[in-house]
């Protein structure tokens, strides 16, 4: 007696390998009929593969043209007139055929709530859905080849064990003796539908090419995913009316083949279609269904009905199942009914319904995200991680998208106009899903036994029975009963007592009975010999068959020994290659670590190099700036001392000339007094022409000096008293000697002292102060020339300062992205860009741009004068049509530095002119004209030195 063999179940589908064939996900579309209350439709079936979606009349078209007529293509479109049978033939039948041949499959329905997903999967009486038709096809195909119950037994690791016939019989007896579990009373009063009512017998079908040399077992399980928790719908829990226990959620685990399964899920072995459908409906009654505004029986959870098919080959005789778990092939078909997506604004859900809707929409969004990432990885060659673990639905079926089997999806849509926007989103998701490709699963390995073993074994049994019938009946005939009948047919011995020596009756009777008994004995001996010969011939045949089987077993053992040697050699090669692979992996790991260390060192050195380069650049800029400052300081100092020397020479020369003139005047007066005393009556001769007082050389006759970089001071009116004004006056000689001499001496003294004091006070500021005094004298001469006209520009009011446009960066209500690169140099300036309500970044990103309305980039470059100037490039953040952001630049602000001590590059208009040229004064130089605003009469031909009033221009802050 062989017990149950341990081992892991072999999966027929392999993981996705590079270079394998791929098949796209099959997407089908089904349009449900329009409801009685609905009148307007938004879906039109154009062909068997195309559907057109057009917006209803009451929906406005937006500016992006999103709501417009669009066409979507699918593998096949099922209109309103298509039946459930036609849909099963095209969609589910190929998956059931692959299931029987050892391949996995996944079929799920997707759509808006109330679009007919549950009807497509389950159906109704007379219109059976995909699930009952799939069960019927499975049992019609493998019905004659099913193993007895409990020959296949599920384990707790997503596998199956194989038991002997005796262990299976004991398991069946133990199961029959178990007491029934009290069930929870159902609140539904409707009778459960039977399978006979779901579909017509004429619609039954079966698979072709079923392996007759294998035995099959079918297991079903039914779960639901409610609020992202997994519950077993087939779990039988004792009913406690006092303290009812809530159902316990299940967890997902990974088996030895890295396939996901629900741990602790109930798997029921079924033998007929009716039994399987009854199990399904038992779980269907526990599924969570609620009434909403859009659907009276809205599914509030995702349901998964799994059909697991176990297939084990028969032994060499074709009589019993091979007791080897590694030869058991397990394939499964998952039929998933996803809950419909819904908008709470339309369903008006609250409480538990709102929570259920949120979890449903979240799981469907995770499914959409996984499909998008798979599509991007396949089309763009990227290797992004697919977020399967974000939802239980995607985590449970991640093996199918990784190459565990075929995947098909049925998109159910409702043609009514109210579901237009949701239907459009479903169509886009379905169109994107068609672009995802899944690796094609490999075929299962073929067993080494000869084909047709079951038929040959059955033919041998039939022939043996026929031959035994011809030779005397079946082998199981009771031979002792035949002998008993013969013994009962032997006549009894008559009475042998002789009463008379002349008795001639008794002895002949005895002789006759003995002869009869002898004949019967001979018949018994013949029957015994015949039975013995038959037994001997049958034993001989059995011995011959045993010898032939022993020879076959010996040959098979020799072949197995050869195979074992080959396997051992291959295992040795594999171990050697594994060791080599581990060594290479270790070397690769060491190289990777070394590479990482080098990369870290490289990055640190690069950062240090960049830091030093920035430091060198900063030092170079500081050096240039210092050189320019030193040159400016040297030139200014030289220019200052040149002016100071010139001023001192001029002042000394003027002082000596004044002293000489005073002495000459005194001598002349003394001479006049002496002449008057000697001859008063004598008429004095005409005095010689009076020597004029030495005048200060004109401003324009002096050699023009180098102009300083600082702007000229503003001229001041005499009445303000802010600048001294020197006036020279000469009085004619008086007739009286004493008064004239005294007055002349006092006048000369006052003039000389005034001139000296004025020169002394204005000494350090000879250049600007002298120009200011000359401008003041010019103004006084112009005022003495004539009165001002009332319409003169000088009587106008003070000019209004023009308002400066405020920088747009000072906006308070808008949010800015302050993009300042890491390579920017800190210049240490007083004026720094300060933007309130801003996000400072060193590199712009789409995430930051999405939060702000404005964008400013700080850019530095070297100007023509060697100084670094900073530009603020501003722009507006505009959302693009594809969901991103773009920046449209609108304005540039520039911040520069200028050294006041540096030599000015401005040119005076008076420089380079000959000394004797007629110049209007220092109002004609470039600096004064730029620093002073003029007001003149309209149409006046006078220059800027006459009849004007100067105002200093207000500089920008």
């Amino acid at each position: 007696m062989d017990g149950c063999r341990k081992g892991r179940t072999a999966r027929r589908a392999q993981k996705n390998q590079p270079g394998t064939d791929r098949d796209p996900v099959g997407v089908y579309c089904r349009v449900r009929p329009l409801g009685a209350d609905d009148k307007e439709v938004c879906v039109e079936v154009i062909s068997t593969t195309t559907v057109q979606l057009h917006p209803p009349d009451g929906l406005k078209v937006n500016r992006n043209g999103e709501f417009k007529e669009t066409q979507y293509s699918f593998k096949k479109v099922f209109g309103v007139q298509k039946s459930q049978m036609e849909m099963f033939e095209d969609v589910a039948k190929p998956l059931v055929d692959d299931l029987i041949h050892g391949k996995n499959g996944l079929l799920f329905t997707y759509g808006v709530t109330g679009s007919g997903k549950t009807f497509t999967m389950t159906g109704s009486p007379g219109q059976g859905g995909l699930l009952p038709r799939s069960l019927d096809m499975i049992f019609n195909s493998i019905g004659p080849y099913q193993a007895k119950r409990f020959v296949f037994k599920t384990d707790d690791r997503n596998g199956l064990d194989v038991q002997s016939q005796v262990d299976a019989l004991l398991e069946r007896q133990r199961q029959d003796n178990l007491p029934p579990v009290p069930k929870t009373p159902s609140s539904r009063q409707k009778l459960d539908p039977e399978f006979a009512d779901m579909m017509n017998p004429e619609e039954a079908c079966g698979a072709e090419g079923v392996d007759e040399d294998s035995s099959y077992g079918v297991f079903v399980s039914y779960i639901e995913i409610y609020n992202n928790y997994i519950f077993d719908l087939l779990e039988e829990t004792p009913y406690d009316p006092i303290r009812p226990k809530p159902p316990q959620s299940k967890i997902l685990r990974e088996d030895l083949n890295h396939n996901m399964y629900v741990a602790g899920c109930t798997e029921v072995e079924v033998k007929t279609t009716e039994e399987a459908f009854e199990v399904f409906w038992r779980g269907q009654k526990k599924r969570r269904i609620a009434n909403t505004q859009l659907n009276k029986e809205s599914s509030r959870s995702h349901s998964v009905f799994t059909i697991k098919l176990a297939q084990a080959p028969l032994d060499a005789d074709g009589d019993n199942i091979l007791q080897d778990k590694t030869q058991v092939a397990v394939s499964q078909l998952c039929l998933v009914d996803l809950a419909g997506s819904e908008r709470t604004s339309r369903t008006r859900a609250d409480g538990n319904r709102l929570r259920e809707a949120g979890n449903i929409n979240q799981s469907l969004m995770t499914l959409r995200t996984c499909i998008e990432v798979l599509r991007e990885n396949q089309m763009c060659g990227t290797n992004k991680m697919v977020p399967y673990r974000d939802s239980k639905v995607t985590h449970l079926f991640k093996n199918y998208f990784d190459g565990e089997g075929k995947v098909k999806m049925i998109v159910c849509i409702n043609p009514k106009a109210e579901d237009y926007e949701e239907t459009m989103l479903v169509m886009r998701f379905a169109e994107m899903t068609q672009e995802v490709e899944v690796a094609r699963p490999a075929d299962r390995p073929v067993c080494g036994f000869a084909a047709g073993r079951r038929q040959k074994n059955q033919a041998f049994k039939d022939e043996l029975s026929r031959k035994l019938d011809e030779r005397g009946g079946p082998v199981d005939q009771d031979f002792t009963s035949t002998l008993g009948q013969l013994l009962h047919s032997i006549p009894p011995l008559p009475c042998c007592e002789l009463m008379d020596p002349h008795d001639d009756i008794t002895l002949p009777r005895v002789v006759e009975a003995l002869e009869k008994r002898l004949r019967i004995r001979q018949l018994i001996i013949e029957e015994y010999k015949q039975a013995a010969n038959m037994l001997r011939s049958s034993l001989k045949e059995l011995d011959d068959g045993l010898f032939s089987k022993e020879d076959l077993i010996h040959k098979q053992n020799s072949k197995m020994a050869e195979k074992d040697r080959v396997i051992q050699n291959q295992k040795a090669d594999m171990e050697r290659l594994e060791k080599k692979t581990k060594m290479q992996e270790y070397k690769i790991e060491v190289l990777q670590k070394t590479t990482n260390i080098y990369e870290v060192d490289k990055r640190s050195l690069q950062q240090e190099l960049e830091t030093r380069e920035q430091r060198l650049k900063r030092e170079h800029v500081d050096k240039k700036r210092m050189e320019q400052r030193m040159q400016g300081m040297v030139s200014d100092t030289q220019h200052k001392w040149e002016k100071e020397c010139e001023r001192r020479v001029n002042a000394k020369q003027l002082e000596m000339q004044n002293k000489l003139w005073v002495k000459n005047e005194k001598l002349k007066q003394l001479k006049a007094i002496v002449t008057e005393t000697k001859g008063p009556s004598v008429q004095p001769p005409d005095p010689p022409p009076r020597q004029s007082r030495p005048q200060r050389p004109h401003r324009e006759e002096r050699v023009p000096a180098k102009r300083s970089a600082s702007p000229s001071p503003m001229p001041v009116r005499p009445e303000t008293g802010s600048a001294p004004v020197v006036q020279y006056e000469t009085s004619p000689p008086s007739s009286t000697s004493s008064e004239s001499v005294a007055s002349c001496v006092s006048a000369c003294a006052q003039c000389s002292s005034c001139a000296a004091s004025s020169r002394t006070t204005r000494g350090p500021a000879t250049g600007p102060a002298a120009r200011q005094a000359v401008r003041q004298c010019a103004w006084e001469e112009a005022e003495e020339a004539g009165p001002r006209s009332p319409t003169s520009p000088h009587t106008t009011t003070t000019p209004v300062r023009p308002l400066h446009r405020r920088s747009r960066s000072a906006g308070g209500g808008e949010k800015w992205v302050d993009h300042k690169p890491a390579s920017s140099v800190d210049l240490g300036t007083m004026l720094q860009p300060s933007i309130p309500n801003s996000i400072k970044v060193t590199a712009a990103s789409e995430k930051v741009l999405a939060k702000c309305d404005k964008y400013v980039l700080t850019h530095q470059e070297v100007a023509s004068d060697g100084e670094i100037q900073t530009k603020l490039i501003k722009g507006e953040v505009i959302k693009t049509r594809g969901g991103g952001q773009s920046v449209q630049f609108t304005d540039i602000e520039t911040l520069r530095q200028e050294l006041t001590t540096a030599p000015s590059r401005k040119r005076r208009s008076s420089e380079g002119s000959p000394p004797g040229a007629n110049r209007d004064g220092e109002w004609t130089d470039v600096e004064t004209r730029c620093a002073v605003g003029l007001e003149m009469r309209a149409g006046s031909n006078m220059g800027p030195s006459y009849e004007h009033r100067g105002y200093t221009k207000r500089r920008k802050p």
Side-chain angles (χ1 to χ4, degrees):
M1 181 187 303
D2 294 332
C4 124
R5 307 282 184 96
K6 296 294 182 182
R8 67 186 180 91
T9 304
R11 285 281 179 183
R12 300 279 68 88
Q14 302 296 330
K15 291 291 182 183
N16 187 10
Q17 300 292 338
T20 58
D21 296 333
R22 292 175 174 271
D23 295 325
V25 176
V27 181
Y28 302 84
C29 179
R30 185 175 193 183
V31 183
R32 65 160 289 176
L34 194 65
D37 298 335
D38 301 325
K39 298 180 180 180
E40 188 177 2
V41 297
C42 63
V43 178
E44 180 182 358
V45 179
I46 297 179
S47 63
T48 57
T49 58
T50 307
V51 172
Q52 183 173 353
L53 189 66
H54 54 82
D57 296 336
L59 190 63
K60 295 182 179 179
V61 180
N62 63 354
R63 61 179 182 180
N64 294 330
E66 182 180 0
F67 299 130
K68 60 182 180 180
E69 293 185 357
T70 53
Q71 292 185 0
Y72 300 93
S73 298
F74 301 93
K75 193 169 184 180
K76 193 167 184 180
V77 177
F78 299 92
V80 179
Q81 305 298 330
K82 297 295 182 179
S83 62
Q84 297 272 57
M85 184 63 187
E86 293 177 346
M87 192 166 189
F88 172 76
E89 289 286 340
D90 293 330
V91 181
K93 187 176 181 180
L95 293 178
V96 177
D97 190 72
D98 290 341
L99 175 71
I100 296 174
H101 290 86
K103 298 179 182 179
N104 298 332
L106 172 63
L107 174 63
F108 61 94
T109 56
Y110 183 87
V112 187
T113 179
S115 58
K117 300 182 297 299
T118 305
F119 175 79
T120 301
M121 190 62 68
T122 306
S124 61
Q127 297 180 354
L130 302 180
L131 191 146
R133 294 181 187 273
S134 300
L135 293 173
D136 184 61
M137 180 178 175
I138 291 172
F139 287 103
N140 289 339
S141 303
I142 66 171
Y145 314 116
Q146 290 191 74
K148 292 183 179 181
R149 198 182 297 270
F150 296 111
V151 172
F152 296 104
K153 184 180 179 181
T154 60
D155 57 10
D156 296 333
R157 299 178 300 276
N158 198 29
L160 291 174
D161 294 329
V162 182
Q163 297 188 129
S164 63
Q165 295 290 342
V166 178
D167 293 339
L169 179 60
L170 293 176
E171 189 73 22
R172 287 194 296 271
Q173 292 177 356
R174 192 182 307 112
Q175 189 70 21
D176 294 338
N177 294 331
L178 290 177
V181 179
K183 299 180 181 180
T184 304
S186 176
S187 60
R188 301 181 183 179
Q189 301 297 328
K190 295 190 303 181
L191 296 176
D192 297 342
E194 296 182 358
F195 178 78
D197 300 333
M198 299 299 292
M199 55 182 297
N200 299 325
E202 294 82 7
E203 297 176 352
C205 61
E208 297 179 358
V210 180
D211 187 7
E212 298 178 355
D213 296 327
S214 299
S215 292
Y216 299 88
V218 181
F219 296 84
V220 296
S221 62
Y222 197 18
I223 64 171
E224 71 170 353
I225 302 175
Y226 176 74
N227 288 338
N228 210 24
Y229 290 97
I230 301 176
F231 297 96
D232 187 5
L233 296 177
L234 301 181
E235 185 178 13
E236 295 292 346
T237 55
Y239 175 65
D240 189 358
I242 300 176
R243 297 181 62 182
K245 295 182 179 180
Q248 298 295 324
S249 62
K250 307 296 180 181
I251 61 175
L252 290 177
R253 288 184 178 175
E254 193 174 43
D255 62 4
L256 297 177
N257 292 335
H258 304 288
N259 296 321
M260 304 306 301
Y261 70 97
V262 181
C265 179
T266 304
E267 294 182 347
V268 182
E269 185 178 9
V270 290
K271 293 300 178 182
T272 61
T273 308
E274 290 77 8
E275 184 182 0
F277 189 75
E278 181 183 355
V279 172
F280 161 74
W281 201 257
R282 188 176 67 199
Q284 183 71 7
K285 290 187 293 184
K286 296 181 180 180
R287 188 181 177 187
R288 290 173 172 84
I289 298 175
N291 184 11
T292 63
Q293 293 287 339
L294 302 180
N295 192 359
K296 294 182 180 180
E297 294 184 357
S298 176
S299 302
R300 312 311 297 171
S301 63
H302 310 297
S303 65
V304 181
F305 187 79
T306 304
I307 305 172
K308 186 179 291 185
L309 180 65
Q311 181 178 357
L314 299 177
D315 56 6
D317 295 336
D319 193 13
N320 297 320
I321 297 176
L322 189 64
Q323 299 292 311
D324 187 2
K325 185 179 178 180
T326 59
Q327 296 296 326
V328 178
V330 180
S331 57
Q332 64 182 14
L333 174 62
C334 295
L335 303 176
V336 185
D337 181 14
L338 296 177
S341 60
E342 59 185 30
R343 291 189 177 182
T344 55
S345 60
R346 296 185 58 198
T347 58
R348 298 178 183 177
D350 55 357
N352 291 333
R353 300 288 87 81
L354 182 61
R355 181 186 176 191
E356 293 167 356
N359 287 289
I360 291 171
N361 294 335
Q362 181 64 31
S363 60
L364 296 179
M365 182 60 66
T366 304
L367 175 62
R368 182 188 182 101
T369 304
C370 294
I371 295 296
E372 289 178 352
V373 175
L374 283 173
R375 173 176 169 269
E376 183 179 355
N377 290 341
Q378 293 177 4
M379 298 185 67
C380 302
T382 58
N383 193 18
K384 292 184 179 180
M385 185 185 68
V386 184
Y388 290 119
R389 294 179 179 268
D390 292 351
S391 174
K392 292 292 193 302
V393 176
T394 55
H395 194 194
L396 179 61
F397 300 118
K398 81 179 190 65
N399 305 107
Y400 290 93
F401 293 102
D402 290 341
E404 281 295 331
K406 289 185 178 180
V407 180
K408 291 187 177 182
M409 181 178 71
I410 301 175
V411 178
C412 299
I413 57 177
N414 195 337
K416 65 179 181 179
E418 289 79 4
D419 292 346
Y420 171 76
E421 296 183 12
E422 291 88 344
T423 303
M424 182 174 59
L425 297 177
V426 170
M427 289 293 190
R428 290 178 179 176
F429 170 68
E431 193 174 33
M432 178 183 59
T433 306
Q434 293 183 109
E435 301 177 1
V436 177
E437 295 182 349
V438 179
R440 185 179 301 171
D443 297 331
R444 65 186 180 89
V446 180
C447 184
F449 296 110
R453 300 185 300 278
R454 185 189 293 270
Q455 292 182 357
K456 291 179 181 179
N457 185 28
Q458 188 66 31
F460 174 74
K461 288 182 180 179
D462 295 341
E463 185 65 20
L464 181 61
S465 300
R466 187 181 62 79
K467 288 183 178 181
L468 291 176
D469 291 340
E470 291 177 356
R471 294 182 180 184
V475 179
D476 58 354
Q477 185 178 3
D478 193 1
F479 183 69
T480 56
S481 62
T482 304
L483 291 178
Q485 292 177 2
L486 292 175
L487 291 175
H488 286 298
S489 63
I490 296 176
L493 291 176
C495 182
C496 299
E497 183 179 2
L498 295 176
M499 300 301 294
D500 188 4
H502 301 285
D503 189 0
D504 296 334
I505 298 173
T506 304
L507 291 176
R509 289 180 179 176
V510 172
V511 171
E512 183 180 1
L514 291 175
E515 289 178 352
K516 189 175 181 180
R517 286 196 173 203
L518 180 62
R519 290 194 298 270
I520 292 173
R521 183 175 178 275
Q522 290 178 353
L523 290 174
I524 292 173
I525 292 173
E526 290 179 357
E527 289 289 338
Y528 177 76
K529 288 182 179 179
Q530 185 178 359
N533 292 331
M534 291 176 61
L535 181 62
R536 190 180 295 109
S537 61
S538 60
L539 290 175
K540 187 177 181 181
E541 290 179 358
L542 291 175
D543 289 339
D544 295 339
L546 181 62
F547 291 150
S548 62
K549 289 183 179 180
E550 287 180 354
D551 294 338
L552 179 61
I553 291 172
H554 182 69
K555 291 179 181 179
Q556 294 294 334
N557 288 333
S558 61
K559 291 181 180 180
M560 288 179 64
E562 293 178 359
K563 296 292 184 182
D564 288 338
R565 287 194 294 272
V566 173
I567 290 172
Q568 293 296 331
N569 294 332
Q570 291 180 354
K571 285 184 178 180
D573 294 338
M574 289 176 63
E575 290 178 357
R576 180 175 55 81
L577 293 175
E578 285 179 356
K579 291 181 179 179
K580 188 175 180 180
T581 303
K582 289 181 180 179
M583 182 62 65
Q584 296 296 333
E585 288 178 353
Y586 176 73
K587 290 181 179 180
I588 290 172
E589 186 177 359
V590 172
L591 291 175
Q592 286 180 351
K593 291 182 179 179
T594 308
T595 305
N596 293 333
I597 294 173
Y598 286 157
E599 287 180 354
V600 172
D601 295 341
K602 180 182 176 182
R603 285 195 294 269
S604 62
L605 291 175
Q606 284 181 352
Q607 292 178 358
E608 185 177 358
L609 180 61
E610 291 177 357
T611 304
R612 292 188 178 183
E613 286 180 354
Q614 292 179 0
R615 190 181 304 167
L616 288 175
K617 289 181 180 179
R618 195 180 302 113
E619 291 178 356
H620 183 66
V621 172
D622 294 341
K623 182 179 178 181
K624 284 187 177 181
R625 189 180 300 168
M626 186 61 68
E627 288 178 356
Q628 292 178 359
R629 289 179 180 178
M630 291 295 104
Q631 290 177 2
M633 291 175 64
V634 169
S635 60
D636 288 347
T637 306
Q638 182 179 0
H639 186 61
K640 177 181 177 181
W641 283 107
E642 287 178 357
K643 285 188 176 182
E644 180 68 18
C645 293
E646 182 183 356
R647 184 192 63 78
R648 290 182 181 181
V649 170
N650 293 335
K652 197 67 176 177
Q653 184 179 2
L654 186 60
E655 182 181 359
M656 299 304 294
Q657 288 179 0
N658 290 335
K659 288 181 180 181
L660 180 60
W661 181 80
V662 170
K663 289 180 179 180
N664 291 334
E665 289 294 327
K666 288 180 179 181
L667 290 175
K668 288 178 182 180
Q669 291 179 3
L670 290 175
K671 185 178 180 181
I673 293 171
V674 172
T675 304
E676 289 178 358
T677 55
K678 287 183 178 181
S681 61
V682 179
Q683 183 68 27
D686 294 333
R690 186 179 180 180
Q691 185 180 359
S692 62
R693 183 180 178 179
Q695 297 292 332
R696 187 177 181 180
H698 194 270
R699 174 180 60 87
E700 297 178 354
E701 294 178 358
R702 289 178 294 179
V703 179
K706 188 173 182 181
R707 184 163 51 92
S708 174
S710 60
S712 300
M714 176 181 173
V716 184
R717 302 281 298 183
E719 54 268 23
T720 59
S722 60
V725 179
V726 180
Q727 297 181 357
Y728 294 95
E729 297 181 358
T730 56
S731 59
S734 175
S735 59
T736 59
S737 62
S738 60
E739 292 181 358
S740 63
V741 172
S743 62
C744 289
V745 172
S746 61
C748 292
Q750 290 177 2
C751 290
S752 61
S753 63
C754 182
S757 63
S758 64
R759 300 298 186 274
T760 304
T761 55
R762 291 181 294 149
T766 304
R771 289 194 297 269
Q772 182 177 356
V774 172
R775 296 190 192 106
Q776 185 65 40
C777 294
W779 288 336
E780 290 179 357
E781 292 176 359
E783 289 177 356
E784 292 176 359
R788 295 175 183 173
S789 174
T791 60
S792 174
H794 306 291
T795 59
T796 58
T797 58
T798 304
V800 181
R801 177 187 177 184
L803 294 179
H804 179 64
R805 180 181 64 84
R806 191 185 184 193
S807 175
R808 295 181 63 184
S809 61
E814 299 172 337
K815 200 165 186 180
W816 288 76
V817 178
D818 189 0
H819 181 189
K820 188 174 183 180
S823 60
S824 299
V825 180
D826 187 10
L827 301 179
T829 57
M830 298 297 292
L831 296 179
Q832 294 286 342
S834 177
I835 305 176
N837 195 17
S838 64
I839 301 177
K840 296 183 178 181
V841 296
T842 57
S845 62
E846 183 179 357
K847 183 177 180 181
V848 176
L849 291 175
K851 300 179 180 178
C852 302
D853 302 324
K854 300 289 185 178
Y855 172 86
V856 58
L857 170 64
T858 303
H859 173 67
Q860 291 183 343
E861 62 182 10
V862 180
S864 60
D865 55 355
E867 292 291 334
I868 296 179
Q869 64 179 6
T870 304
K871 290 187 177 181
L872 302 181
I873 306 174
K874 299 182 292 183
E876 297 182 357
V877 179
I878 300 175
K879 294 184 178 181
T880 60
R881 187 173 181 180
Q885 288 79 24
S886 64
V887 178
Q888 181 178 359
F889 295 102
T890 58
D891 193 6
I892 299 177
E893 294 185 6
T894 305
L895 177 63
R896 293 186 56 184
Q897 288 180 275
E898 293 184 358
L899 300 177
T900 58
T901 58
S904 176
R905 292 182 174 86
K906 301 177 182 179
R907 182 180 59 86
R908 292 176 183 267
S909 61
S910 60
E911 292 180 2
S913 59
N918 185 15
R919 290 169 292 191
D920 295 332
E922 292 195 359
W923 284 94
T924 58
D925 64 334
V926 179
E927 182 178 352
T928 306
R929 284 183 292 171
C930 293
V932 178
L934 304 180
E935 291 186 2
M936 301 179 65
R937 185 184 295 110
S940 175
N941 295 326
M942 300 183 67
S945 299
Y946 304 97
E947 296 187 11
H948 67 275
R949 181 178 298 173
Y951 300 95
T952 304
K953 288 187 177 179
R954 297 188 182 181
R955 303 184 181 274
K956 294 182 180 180

